[in-house]
Amino acid sequence: MCMKRRSFLWSSAALVGVGMLGQGDSHADCIHSHSVPAASLMTECAHRFLAALDAKQRAKAAFPFDTDERLNWHYIPKERRGVPLREMTPYQKHLASALLAAGLSQTGYIKAVTIMSLEDVLKIIEVDSGEIRNPEHYYFSVFGTPSDAGTWGYRVEGHHLSQNCTVVNGDVIDGPSFFGANPAQIRQGPRKGLRTLAGEDDLGFDLIHAFDEHQQKVTIVDPIAYREILTGASRKAALKGQPSGLSASTMNVRQFDALMALVEEYARNVPDELAERRIAQINKAGRNIYFAWSGGINPSDPHYYRVQTPSFLIEMDDTQDDANHIHSVWRDLSGDFGQDLLQQHYETSHRSQ
């Protein structure tokens, strides 16, 4: 039963974007099998974006691949290196958006641009001039020379959004991948009721409520919610000690199904090819997955959860601003910024010399 759930999980990810054509439609299968590889699409989008910039903008946007700046990521509102949307012409913004979309699924892209738009909401709530809360304070950076088979990467980043993609010999690593939302739910004004990251929040509650009283006691590692995701903006994700919380090996079918629904929400933020890699990590983990919670278990309570496996980590917190401010992240424990692939590449290159 559990294997069927995970098999369905992969099928869902594989059909993103062609589902309207029908699951069994041969035309849909044809479209999927001839889809452009992620590395090729990213390369084309990066080339077009860079070519549209003037010399001054390109000097801001382009970095050597081996610069320390490539690993310098964060999700707070601050000045960053790169070229921001506010300094782009309309057509340059379109090409920048295409580069962002190349690393995300349609679902992930909608989340990203909605997150950007929340800056306008915060500008009203905080009576800001637009210097801090500005939906065009999102920066685009390219590291190295874009190439289908080369080694390069790019980052799209600003308040509550950091998407980092690295290409090594045609393979793509998509992490760290951070999405945040403030407000998590808009409570007044014309956009009242909008919840940008509803799935990340609701599916966590579905899971904690699927457990019995004894399981909840094991899962809840702290009655007070952690104020922040524990890995923060670390360059290499790591947690001290052994995994804590409830092991998936003790979950029944219904509970494990709820866990898979939660990780699927994160896996499907990226394009099919990259989602396939995430799904493979999930399937390889099997029942070697731990789910931990801190804080209350009612939607209005400050709360935090994490999904921890040997290869990846998911964290989500909703604690600030009266539990109406979400941070969520997918971290590859050894492969963020392409570290695994880069190590393999360098070792292979060294042996071949």
Side-chain angles (χ1 to χ4, degrees), residues 174-322:
D174 52 284
S177 177
F178 182 97
F179 292 94
N182 180 24
Q185 179 175 6
I186 298 177
R187 294 174 175 168
Q188 59 186 356
R191 302 175 74 186
K192 181 179 179 179
L194 174 66
R195 299 177 63 210
T196 304
L197 301 175
E200 287 81 351
D201 208 17
D202 291 347
L203 292 170
F205 279 114
D206 288 348
L207 182 53
I208 191 67
H209 286 291
F211 301 145
D212 61 32
E213 184 177 355
H214 171 72
Q215 288 174 310
Q216 285 188 355
K217 288 182 178 179
V218 176
T219 304
I220 300 173
V221 295
D222 195 321
I224 305 300
Y226 302 147
R227 288 286 297 167
E228 178 62 279
I229 56 174
L230 300 184
T231 51
S234 60
R235 296 186 176 193
K236 183 175 177 60
L239 295 176
K240 295 181 179 179
Q242 297 298 313
S244 59
L246 187 69
S247 170
S249 64
T250 67
M251 298 180 190
N252 62 32
V253 172
R254 180 176 64 88
Q255 294 163 347
F256 189 70
D257 189 67
L259 173 62
M260 291 296 99
L262 176 61
V263 295
E264 179 182 7
E265 182 70 25
Y266 288 82
R268 292 180 64 179
N269 281 331
V270 293
D272 297 347
E273 182 183 327
L274 308 187
E276 180 179 355
R277 175 186 168 84
R278 290 188 177 187
I279 299 302
Q281 289 179 288
I282 295 166
N283 287 341
K284 184 177 181 180
R287 292 270 180 159
N288 188 13
I289 303 175
Y290 285 80
F291 180 71
W293 186 280
S294 72
I297 62 173
N298 297 310
S300 60
D301 296 331
H303 54 281
Y304 159 99
Y305 69 72
R306 67 172 171 266
V307 178
Q308 186 173 357
T309 80
S311 63
F312 70 87
L313 174 72
I314 291 169
E315 288 192 276
M316 198 286 298
D317 76 77
D318 187 357
T319 62
Q320 301 177 49
D321 300 302
D322 296 321

Side-chain angles (χ1 to χ4, degrees), residues 10-326:
W10 157 233
S11 298
S12 299
L15 289 169
V16 171
V18 297
M20 293 297 291
L21 298 176
Q23 184 169 336
D25 193 297
S26 60
H27 182 51
D29 292 341
C30 177
I31 290 176
H32 180 68
S33 64
H34 289 86
S35 60
V36 177
S40 297
L41 180 59
M42 291 176 179
T43 298
E44 182 66 17
C45 289
H47 275 307
R48 294 192 183 200
F49 170 65
L50 291 173
L53 303 179
D54 62 32
K56 184 177 178 180
Q57 290 171 314
R58 200 173 302 117
K60 285 187 174 183
F63 299 82
F65 179 77
D66 60 358
T67 179
D68 184 68
E69 176 63 24
R70 189 173 71 87
L71 310 181
N72 182 27
W73 78 284
H74 218 304
Y75 47 86
I76 62 174
K78 67 171 190 173
E79 289 298 316
R80 291 166 160 83
R81 297 187 67 186
V83 61
L85 286 169
R86 69 177 184 271
E87 294 180 6
M88 298 182 198
T89 63
Y91 76 87
Q92 290 171 338
K93 291 175 185 176
H94 287 309
L95 292 170
S97 294
L99 181 59
L100 170 63
L104 296 170
S105 64
Q106 185 177 33
T107 298
Y109 179 75
I110 291 170
K111 290 177 183 179
V113 295
T114 305
I115 288 167
M116 293 178 178
S117 77
L118 291 179
E119 295 299 281
D120 266 338
V121 177
L122 288 176
K123 182 166 63 176
I124 295 171
I125 293 174
E126 298 175 359
V127 194
D128 179 73
S129 65
E131 285 304 306
I132 297 176
R133 305 303 185 186
N134 188 324
E136 294 199 332
H137 278 182
Y138 288 86
Y139 295 71
F140 290 72
S141 307
V142 177
F143 303 95
T145 303
S147 168
D148 289 5
T151 300
W152 68 284
Y154 70 95
R155 178 180 69 214
V156 181
E157 186 174 277
H159 183 217
H160 278 159
L161 182 70
S162 184
Q163 301 301 313
N164 301 269
C165 291
T166 307
V167 179
V168 182
N169 294 333
D171 290 323
V172 180
I173 292 294
D174 52 284
S177 177
F178 182 97
F179 292 94
N182 180 24
Q185 179 175 6
I186 298 177
R187 294 174 175 168
Q188 59 186 356
R191 302 175 74 186
K192 181 179 179 179
L194 174 66
R195 299 177 63 210
T196 304
L197 301 175
E200 287 81 351
D201 208 17
D202 291 347
L203 292 170
F205 279 114
D206 288 348
L207 182 53
I208 191 67
H209 286 291
F211 301 145
D212 61 32
E213 184 177 355
H214 171 72
Q215 288 174 310
Q216 285 188 355
K217 288 182 178 179
V218 176
T219 304
I220 300 173
V221 295
D222 195 321
I224 305 300
Y226 302 147
R227 288 286 297 167
E228 178 62 279
I229 56 174
L230 300 184
T231 51
S234 60
R235 296 186 176 193
K236 183 175 177 60
L239 295 176
K240 295 181 179 179
Q242 297 298 313
S244 59
L246 187 69
S247 170
S249 64
T250 67
M251 298 180 190
N252 62 32
V253 172
R254 180 176 64 88
Q255 294 163 347
F256 189 70
D257 189 67
L259 173 62
M260 291 296 99
L262 176 61
V263 295
E264 179 182 7
E265 182 70 25
Y266 288 82
R268 292 180 64 179
N269 281 331
V270 293
D272 297 347
E273 182 183 327
L274 308 187
E276 180 179 355
R277 175 186 168 84
R278 290 188 177 187
I279 299 302
Q281 289 179 288
I282 295 166
N283 287 341
K284 184 177 181 180
R287 292 270 180 159
N288 188 13
I289 303 175
Y290 285 80
F291 180 71
W293 186 280
S294 72
I297 62 173
N298 297 310
S300 60
D301 296 331
H303 54 281
Y304 159 99
Y305 69 72
R306 67 172 171 266
V307 178
Q308 186 173 357
T309 80
S311 63
F312 70 87
L313 174 72
I314 291 169
E315 288 192 276
M316 198 286 298
D317 76 77
D318 187 357
T319 62
Q320 301 177 49
D321 300 302
D322 296 321
N324 194 32
H325 183 148
I326 289 176

